Amino acid sequence: MGVGKEFVTICPITVATPGLKAEVEQGVTPAAAGLELRENDMHVVDLGRCASPHKKALLATTRRDSFRNDFSRSLFSE
């Protein structure tokens, strides 16, 4: 963990309405984004409710991958 890299940005995964899900699939909304690996087809990332906790605050949480590879993760971050 280097200087200036102590925090991460996290967003909640929520259940989308059919309209929001369609907008996410078309890439026309800045409010939400899709995930490759999700438990439910209607799950999206709510980009309007981001938080930036310190990495140490997340040590006790279980990490689950939402993307198959680093390329997909990189596209999402852009």
Side-chain angles (χ1 to χ4, degrees), residues 1-8 55:
M1 176 168 35
V3 176
K5 299 187 183 230
E6 300 90 8
F7 296 88
V8 294
K55 287 182 178 179

Side-chain angles (χ1 to χ4, degrees), residues 6 42 58:
E6 300 90 8
M42 296 303 285
L58 301 174

Side-chain angles (χ1 to χ4, degrees), residues 5-52:
K5 299 187 183 230
E6 300 90 8
F7 296 88
V8 294
T9 300
I10 59 173
C11 302
I13 297 172
T14 61
V15 177
T17 63
L20 178 59
K21 180 68 174 166
E23 289 178 350
V24 168
E25 289 173 352
Q26 295 168 9
V28 298
T29 180
L35 296 171
E36 268 187 326
L37 306 174
R38 56 190 178 273
E39 290 185 26
N40 180 313
D41 190 45
M42 296 303 285
H43 283 169
V44 297
V45 177
D46 184 346
L47 299 174
R49 295 192 297 157
C50 296
S52 297

